[in-house]
Amino acid sequence: MEVCILDTLLGVNEDGTSAHSASTPGGPQEAGLLHHTGHHLSITDMDTSITLFSEDALVGDALARGVDLREYAATVASDLAKVHSLHVGDYVAKRASLADLEMQVKDCDAMLASMVHLLEGFQLDLDKISAEIRDLQERSNDMSLKLKNRTGSQEHLSKVLEGLVITPDLIKKICEGEVNEFFLQHLLDLNKKMAYVKSQKGAHIRALKDVGPELERLRLKATEKIREFLLKKIDSLKTPNTNISIIQQNHLLKFKELYWFLLERYSEAAQEVRATYTTTTQQYYLASFEKYVKSLSSVQTIIADKGDLIGSAESQGTGSGGGWTAGMTGLFSNKNNQLKNRSNVYSLGERVQVLTTEDAGIILAHVAEEQRLKFPYEVIFKSINRLLMDNASSEYMFSTEFFFSTWRRGSKMAVADPATIGTVFADIFEPTLKFLQNALKQYIDASFDAVGVLLCIRLNSFHARLMQKRRIPCLENFMNLLNILLWPRFQAIMDLHIESLRKVGKVSVTKDCHPHFITRRYAEFSASILALNDGFDDALLVNSLVRLRNEVESLLFRMTDDIPQRKDKLILLINNHDLVSSILGEYAQLPCFDDERAYFDRSLESKTGEFVEEELKNEVGYLMEFVDRAELEKNLDTLDVSRFEAVASQFNNQWKQSIAQINASILQSFPNFQNGARILHAAFTLLLLFYKRFITLFEKRFVGRGRKVHPVGLQTVLFEIKKNQPNFF
């Protein structure tokens, strides 16, 4: 196409002749403007064509080299003719192969045509099979639907028959059989039939009219036998020495469904069974605990009475029980119980084991009597309460499972109301709890054993936490009531101790000013209370101990009123404070003692400082007075040297005797060797400090001057102190 257009542009015909020599209707000029298709070519079209072909790579290259376009077109035409001839020759040379290829193509077409025919046959066969499958599927669906309908009808009919048909075996077991596991199985079957009949009350089933009366007769017979069976088992609890847990677990719980059948089908009989059980177990527990508490009275030991208050005189605690045993009547009074364990009146001692031991702590009274064992009240309190907790927990769980466990009633589940469970338990244990409450109140109101009452309070808290772990709330109100009884009595006993200290009149003090027995009582008592407050931090206890401490200190100061010498007063105070500090120091590992111990340590340190100064004044008062006055002088030169020499001379003559006297006086005044050694150390330290200050003043005053007296060397004095008291240093 490009060659033809190029020929046209160059004026060359298709046969190679010049277009100018051809004759045209319009003359030579018009012929030169004709297109090879017969159309006229305008100048604009020519410019467009030239622009178009100039963009071609070959034409553009030819134009750039200045080649004649006519010659170029002729060369291209010649090359095309040569290529055409070569292709024609190549085709002619390979005509045999092309003919063979054509035959192979025809054979393939024939083979493919036969395969198409075969596949069409297969398609027809598959269409027939598909139609048959659809027919089988439709028939299968019809059969499945029929089977489903028949199955549904059969299930419905089976359910009706199962709910209505009363077998002879069922009638025989209900009417004639004994109440046992087999009876229970048939009873459950009967209950299902009754529930079904009741659910089909509005249905049009003729058999319901016939089976209804029979089921009613079976119900009456079953409830009669169940009532007799349960009442007989409950009545066996009245037999002496009966283990109620065995009957509950092996007989009643095993047939708990009997009671629920009775409750659902004959509520009056169920209420009778429940009321009989409540009354029987109520009497059982009350009689058992009355017997047990009474048996424990013979193994109880008296710890404290009214004559054992901190401020009471030593002669008042005669061991006869005082006003307490005289006023005790009831379960805990015992004429043979006259001896007291006075070692535990104020100190905690081994009594704390009632809190720390892992043993349940239940006392067997007959064993204790045989072994002649005696127990303080807190051990008896623990034994009674642990026995109560175990029995109450067992009874609560039994009542919940037997009377209030779930029971299927038709299509519904009946669930017990927690408040109702608590009501049943309260009906059973109310007399027993009242008895125990009165017994405790009778003891508490007459008790003067603050340590024992506080131990009972701690035990009660421990028991409450134990019941919470068991998730059994039945004794929560009872334990709260015990706290209400115990705490006020504890506070009342504390008030009695404080009041006894206030009422102490003139107290005789020994000449050696040893610790008073009231101080020892207070120290042991306060240590016991603080030890039992560890981990509880009750502010009530702390406040009571502060009040008690203030009264003890007030009493100590009243004791010193009859002592003329200030030194002896300080000795009395130090010995008593040291006793308290020593006893409290035995509990250094308990942080609850820190405040109380720190208070007495500060007081002891203050009184010790006062005593040391007083002791030194008696021996080297002249030295101390001179040093204090001399240090106030701005200019030592104003002081007469004779005064320095007089003091030095007097000390040189008396210092050995003074040291020996201080040593003997302090060690004799304080029976606690550690306390005396500590005070002696403080006294000698203060003596050395005063003497060192005197030496310093002496050297300053005699600088550059002669001296008549040379003071004893400080090292000599220190050596003498060490020589006299080698064990101390």
Side-chain angles (χ1 to χ4, degrees):
M1 182 66 181
E2 293 178 355
V3 175
C4 293
I5 295 174
L6 186 58
D7 290 342
T8 303
L9 292 174
L10 297 176
V12 180
N13 294 326
E14 293 181 0
D15 57 359
T17 60
S18 175
H20 296 289
S21 60
S23 58
T24 59
Q29 295 79 8
E30 190 177 20
L33 300 175
L34 288 176
H35 193 265
H36 71 285
T37 59
H39 298 284
H40 293 282
L41 185 65
S42 63
I43 298 300
T44 304
D45 294 335
M46 186 179 295
D47 291 337
T48 303
S49 298
I50 291 172
T51 303
L52 177 63
F53 281 97
S54 64
E55 296 177 357
D56 185 84
L58 296 176
V59 178
D61 181 63
L63 293 175
R65 289 187 287 107
V67 178
D68 189 353
L69 295 180
R70 295 186 183 85
E71 295 178 358
Y72 182 73
T75 304
V76 171
S78 175
D79 293 339
L80 288 174
K82 291 178 181 180
V83 172
H84 181 269
S85 298
L86 292 173
H87 281 78
V88 170
D90 186 47
Y91 179 76
V92 172
K94 296 181 179 180
R95 62 183 180 280
S97 300
L98 293 174
D100 185 51
L101 179 62
E102 184 177 5
M103 292 300 294
Q104 293 179 3
V105 172
K106 289 180 179 180
D107 292 341
C108 289
D109 289 341
M111 187 180 296
L112 291 174
S114 93
M115 292 182 67
V116 169
H117 179 70
L118 182 62
L119 291 174
E120 289 177 351
F122 287 161
Q123 182 66 37
L124 292 175
D125 294 339
L126 289 174
D127 290 341
K128 292 179 181 180
I129 293 173
S130 178
E132 292 177 358
I133 291 174
R134 285 195 296 271
D135 181 61
L136 291 174
Q137 187 175 7
E138 291 176 358
R139 293 170 62 188
S140 176
N141 291 336
D142 293 339
M143 294 177 66
S144 298
L145 181 61
K146 292 178 181 179
L147 178 62
K148 183 178 180 180
N149 293 335
R150 290 181 181 180
T151 302
S153 300
Q154 183 179 359
E155 291 178 356
H156 181 68
L157 182 60
S158 299
K159 188 179 296 184
V160 172
L161 293 176
E162 184 180 358
L164 296 179
V165 174
I166 303 175
T167 63
D169 183 59
L170 176 63
I171 297 174
K172 184 177 180 180
K173 291 293 184 183
I174 294 297
C175 296
E176 301 177 4
E178 295 181 0
V179 179
N180 51 27
E181 292 84 352
F182 299 104
F183 179 87
L184 180 59
Q185 294 177 1
H186 287 83
L187 182 70
L188 296 177
D189 189 20
L190 174 62
N191 189 67
K192 290 181 181 178
K193 295 181 183 298
M194 297 179 66
Y196 178 79
V197 170
K198 185 177 181 180
S199 65
Q200 300 295 325
K201 191 173 183 179
H204 300 286
I205 302 176
R206 297 179 61 184
L208 291 175
K209 297 180 180 180
D210 299 330
V211 77
E214 297 298 329
L215 290 176
E216 179 64 18
R217 283 192 286 271
L218 289 175
R219 179 187 72 85
L220 293 176
K221 186 62 178 179
T223 53
E224 179 184 356
K225 297 184 70 174
I226 293 172
R227 173 183 172 276
E228 293 177 357
F229 174 80
L230 293 178
L231 291 178
K232 183 178 180 181
K233 293 298 180 183
I234 294 172
D235 190 63
S236 64
L237 297 175
K238 299 178 182 179
T239 305
N241 300 323
T242 300
N243 191 327
I244 188 172
S245 297
I246 294 178
I247 296 178
Q248 289 176 338
Q249 298 297 325
N250 297 344
H251 296 86
L252 295 179
L253 282 182
K254 189 176 181 180
F255 298 101
K256 61 183 178 180
E257 289 84 358
L258 299 180
Y259 173 79
W260 275 95
F261 178 86
L262 206 63
L263 181 65
E264 184 178 3
R265 302 302 176 186
Y266 202 156
S267 60
E268 293 82 359
Q271 292 176 2
E272 180 186 1
V273 169
R274 176 173 156 181
T276 303
Y277 176 82
T278 301
T279 303
T280 303
T281 52
Q282 183 183 91
Q283 296 173 354
Y284 171 84
Y285 286 118
L286 179 59
S288 299
F289 275 93
E290 285 179 347
K291 180 179 178 181
Y292 183 68
V293 171
K294 185 177 181 179
S295 66
L296 292 181
S297 62
S298 61
V299 297
Q300 180 187 356
T301 182
I302 301 174
I303 297 296
D305 56 30
K306 191 173 182 180
D308 291 310
L309 298 174
I310 293 178
S312 300
E314 285 187 303
S315 59
Q316 285 187 246
T318 61
S320 62
W324 182 74
T325 53
M328 277 294 294
T329 57
L331 294 173
F332 292 96
S333 61
N334 189 355
K335 295 180 180 179
N336 297 325
N337 199 356
Q338 299 295 325
L339 298 178
K340 297 191 297 180
N341 186 356
R342 301 188 57 80
S343 62
N344 292 326
V345 174
Y346 309 104
S347 63
L348 186 59
E350 295 182 354
R351 299 177 71 180
V352 73
Q353 293 181 0
V354 74
L355 298 176
T356 58
T357 182
E358 297 181 359
D359 182 23
I362 297 178
I363 301 173
L364 300 178
H366 63 282
V367 176
E369 288 181 358
E370 292 177 359
Q371 299 178 0
R372 296 183 180 181
L373 299 177
K374 297 293 183 179
F375 304 96
Y377 182 74
E378 64 270 9
V379 178
I380 295 176
F381 176 86
K382 179 181 180 180
S383 179
I384 294 174
N385 279 271
R386 290 302 291 267
L387 187 63
L388 173 65
M389 291 163 57
D390 293 342
N391 282 272
S393 299
S394 177
E395 183 61 40
Y396 184 85
M397 290 187 292
F398 169 79
S399 300
T400 303
E401 188 173 356
F402 185 80
F403 292 106
F404 302 101
S405 58
T406 56
W407 170 268
R408 185 172 295 279
R409 300 180 181 178
S411 59
K412 298 181 180 180
M413 294 292 292
V415 182
D417 182 10
T420 308
I421 300 175
T423 302
V424 173
F425 177 84
D427 292 340
I428 295 173
F429 264 87
E430 182 179 5
T432 302
L433 296 179
K434 285 185 177 179
F435 163 73
L436 294 177
Q437 174 188 342
N438 292 332
L440 175 67
K441 188 175 186 300
Q442 182 181 3
Y443 170 80
I444 292 299
D445 290 346
S447 175
F448 293 88
D449 182 14
V451 175
V453 173
L454 186 55
L455 283 169
C456 291
I457 293 173
R458 298 308 182 214
L459 284 171
N460 193 52
S461 300
F462 174 74
H463 293 160
R465 291 195 298 269
L466 184 59
M467 294 297 287
Q468 290 175 358
K469 289 182 179 179
R470 294 180 181 180
R471 297 184 178 180
I472 298 179
C474 56
L475 294 179
E476 183 177 354
N477 293 335
F478 175 74
M479 292 180 176
N480 291 335
L481 185 60
L482 293 186
N483 274 332
I484 294 175
L485 292 175
L486 290 168
W487 273 113
R489 184 55 189 173
F490 173 79
Q491 188 60 41
I493 298 174
M494 293 293 293
D495 292 340
L496 290 175
H497 281 299
I498 295 172
E499 187 64 24
S500 69
L501 292 173
R502 292 174 181 169
K503 293 180 178 179
V504 174
K506 185 176 181 180
V507 181
S508 60
V509 181
T510 58
K511 295 181 179 180
D512 53 10
C513 298
H514 282 183
H516 199 272
F517 69 87
I518 290 180
T519 305
R520 177 172 294 277
R521 289 178 179 179
Y522 162 74
E524 294 176 349
F525 181 76
S526 61
S528 300
I529 301 301
L530 286 173
L532 294 177
N533 197 34
D534 183 48
F536 294 91
D537 299 329
D538 288 326
L540 179 64
L541 295 183
V542 176
N543 294 335
S544 297
L545 285 178
V546 171
R547 294 168 53 213
L548 186 64
R549 182 185 67 198
N550 293 337
E551 289 301 327
V552 170
E553 288 194 315
S554 177
L555 176 62
L556 290 176
F557 283 115
R558 294 204 304 271
M559 291 181 185
T560 61
D561 291 342
D562 296 332
I563 301 176
Q565 299 296 328
R566 184 170 183 272
K567 173 184 172 181
D568 294 335
K569 293 182 178 181
L570 292 173
I571 291 174
L572 176 65
L573 294 176
I574 291 174
N575 280 329
N576 283 274
H577 282 75
D578 175 65
L579 175 63
V580 176
S581 181
S582 299
I583 293 177
L584 296 180
E586 296 175 0
Y587 300 86
Q589 71 280 7
L590 299 180
C592 59
F593 280 77
D594 292 344
D595 293 340
E596 196 73 9
R597 190 169 55 249
Y599 175 85
F600 281 97
D601 288 344
R602 290 193 301 269
S603 178
L604 184 61
E605 183 179 359
S606 174
K607 297 296 185 294
T608 299
E610 295 180 20
F611 170 79
V612 167
E613 290 186 1
E614 192 69 24
E615 180 69 24
L616 292 182
K617 286 181 181 179
N618 294 335
E619 299 298 330
V620 292
Y622 61 93
L623 176 67
M624 298 169 62
E625 182 180 0
F626 178 79
V627 170
D628 289 335
R629 291 182 178 180
E631 287 179 342
L632 295 176
E633 295 292 336
K634 296 181 180 179
N635 187 4
L636 293 178
D637 294 337
T638 59
L639 294 177
D640 189 2
V641 294
S642 61
R643 297 178 60 186
F644 280 94
E645 292 174 344
V647 172
S649 177
Q650 185 177 359
F651 185 81
N652 289 347
N653 294 329
Q654 300 177 359
W655 68 276
K656 287 186 178 182
Q657 294 83 352
S658 298
I659 290 176
Q661 183 63 30
I662 292 172
N663 180 53
S665 174
I666 291 177
L667 293 182
Q668 291 175 2
S669 299
F670 302 102
N672 184 353
F673 176 77
Q674 293 182 349
N675 183 43
R678 180 182 58 81
I679 297 174
L680 187 60
H681 179 270
F684 284 153
T685 300
L686 185 61
L687 173 61
L688 290 173
L689 289 176
F690 267 100
Y691 189 63
K692 183 178 179 180
R693 290 160 59 188
F694 172 75
I695 294 297
T696 302
L697 294 172
F698 189 89
E699 295 296 335
K700 288 182 180 180
R701 183 66 180 87
F702 286 91
V703 173
R705 293 185 180 182
R707 60 191 72 178
K708 298 180 181 180
V709 180
H710 294 275
V712 178
L714 186 63
Q715 294 298 326
T716 303
V717 177
L718 180 59
F719 177 78
E720 184 67 19
I721 292 175
K722 291 182 178 180
K723 185 177 68 174
N724 289 340
Q725 291 294 325
N727 294 330
F728 175 76
F729 292 97

